[in-house]
Amino acid sequence: MSETAIIGGTGLTSLNGLEIVRREVVNTPYGEPSGPLVHGRLQGHGVVFLPRHGSGHTIPPHRINYRANIWALHSIGVRSVIAVNAVGGIDDSLTPGCLVFPDQIIDYTWSRINTFFEDGLSSVVHVDFTRPYSEELRSLLIEAARVAGLHTVNSGTYGATQGPRLETAAEIDRLERDGCHMVGMTGMPEAALARELGLSYAACAVVANMAAGRGREGETISMDLIRQHLESGMEKVCRLLVELVPRL
Ligand code: HPA
C-alpha cells in the first residue's frame, strides 16, 4: 500500500518515470473521482497518482469532484498528498516555468462543495486551517528541490479563483492588494478537504503565465502559451519528485 499520492494538474496528466503497477477504480459516497487511481513506483518507491482534470484533461476546475478525489485517496490508505497546480504569477519574481511552494491560501471560489462535514453530524465541526499546508511536507519539498539543484520560491500566498475563465486585470490588482502572489483555480477546496480528513498536504505550484495585466503590454493569455511554459515547468516537477519521493 502506498501512503503517498501525487495529484497532477494541468500539464501533468501522466508522470514521467512512473512505473505503473495497476489502476484502481474507487467508488465513493460523493460520486466519481477524476479517474482510476494509478498505483506505481517512482525511484522504486510506491506512489499513487491521480490526474485532477482526468486522464484526457477534460474536467474543468469548477467541475472537479474534489471530495471524491480526496475521499478516494484517504480510503486506500494514503496519508500524504503532493498537489501540483498550474498558476499565474502575480508577484514579479514568479515568472513562467518557476516552481513555488505556497504557504498560504486565500479562497475566492464559490459554489463548490467545500466540506465533508455537512449532514448527520452529532455536532458542528470547524477544522483548524491557520496553516493550510503541512509545514513538514513543505520542508521536504524545499530540501528535495535544493538537492535537485532547482531554483524554487519557497513561500507565497495562493489566491484560488473560480474559473474557468482567467481573471480581469482589475481582479488581479485586487488579489495583489489582498496579498496574493499567485493565482490558480484548483487549490481550493482540495487543501481544506485534505485537512478535514487529516491528510498531510502540500502544493508545488508551477507558473504557467504572468497573471492578467502583468505580462507584456497588450499580451493576451492563450492556452498555447500556458502549455509551452508548463512543459518546461513539468520537467522540473519530475526532477523534484524523483528527489522527494524517497524522503517521504
Ligand atoms: N489564473 C488562474 N489560474 C491559472 C492561471 C491564471 O492566470 N494560469 C494557470 N492557472
Side-chain angles (χ1 to χ4, degrees):
M1 187 200 59
S2 306
E3 294 204 342
T4 303
I6 296 156
I7 301 182
T10 300
L12 197 70
T13 47
S14 62
L15 200 55
N16 269 355
L18 182 72
E19 244 178 84
I20 298 176
V21 176
R22 69 190 166 97
R23 290 184 163 81
E24 181 179 12
V25 174
V26 180
N27 296 312
T28 87
Y30 306 101
E32 278 184 41
S34 297
L37 306 184
V38 181
H39 291 259
R41 299 192 79 73
L42 194 62
Q43 298 291 98
H45 297 265
V47 295
V48 178
F49 179 67
L50 177 62
R52 190 188 280 117
H53 298 276
S55 58
H57 199 263
T58 51
I59 311 172
H62 61 296
R63 300 293 286 273
I64 291 166
N65 191 338
Y66 295 95
R67 285 203 300 189
N69 287 351
I70 293 296
W71 193 94
L73 293 173
H74 182 262
S75 75
I76 64 158
V78 163
R79 292 297 168 257
S80 303
V81 176
I82 301 294
V84 181
N85 305 84
V87 295
I90 298 177
D91 192 84
D92 289 346
S93 65
L94 302 187
T95 51
C98 177
L99 302 192
V100 196
F101 306 134
D103 62 345
Q104 277 298 332
I105 300 177
I106 301 180
D107 188 8
Y108 301 90
T109 65
W110 45 272
S111 85
R112 299 183 183 185
I113 302 176
N114 60 4
T115 182
F116 289 107
F117 299 127
E118 276 190 320
D119 301 316
L121 302 173
S122 51
S123 74
V124 171
V125 180
H126 301 289
V127 293
D128 178 85
F129 205 45
T130 311
R131 286 177 196 78
Y133 300 106
S134 154
E135 276 305 316
E136 202 181 324
L137 273 189
R138 279 184 11 83
S139 301
L140 292 175
L141 279 166
I142 293 166
E143 168 69 5
R146 192 188 58 75
V147 174
L150 294 166
H151 166 73
T152 54
V153 176
N154 297 338
S155 63
T157 298
Y158 178 112
T161 53
Q162 174 68 5
R165 68 164 176 83
L166 293 160
E167 299 71 33
T168 65
E171 285 169 338
I172 293 298
D173 289 343
R174 172 192 169 205
L175 263 65
E176 185 169 43
R177 285 194 299 275
D178 284 355
C180 296
H181 301 99
M182 70 205 93
V183 57
M185 300 176 193
T186 52
M188 285 294 281
E190 194 174 272
L193 293 167
R195 177 62 55 85
E196 285 190 347
L197 292 193
L199 296 174
S200 290
Y201 180 98
C204 172
V206 184
V207 181
N209 55 281
M210 295 308 291
R214 294 294 188 276
R216 261 180 269 129
E217 185 74 28
E219 187 178 59
T220 54
I221 304 167
S222 69
M223 274 309 283
D224 268 355
L225 195 72
I226 289 183
R227 270 193 215 100
Q228 268 174 36
H229 290 138
L230 282 179
E231 237 168 74
S232 74
M234 289 309 159
E235 186 261 326
K236 293 182 197 164
V237 169
C238 290
R239 281 168 54 200
L240 171 73
L241 292 175
V242 160
E243 286 300 334
L244 176 74
V245 165
R247 292 175 160 74
L248 291 167

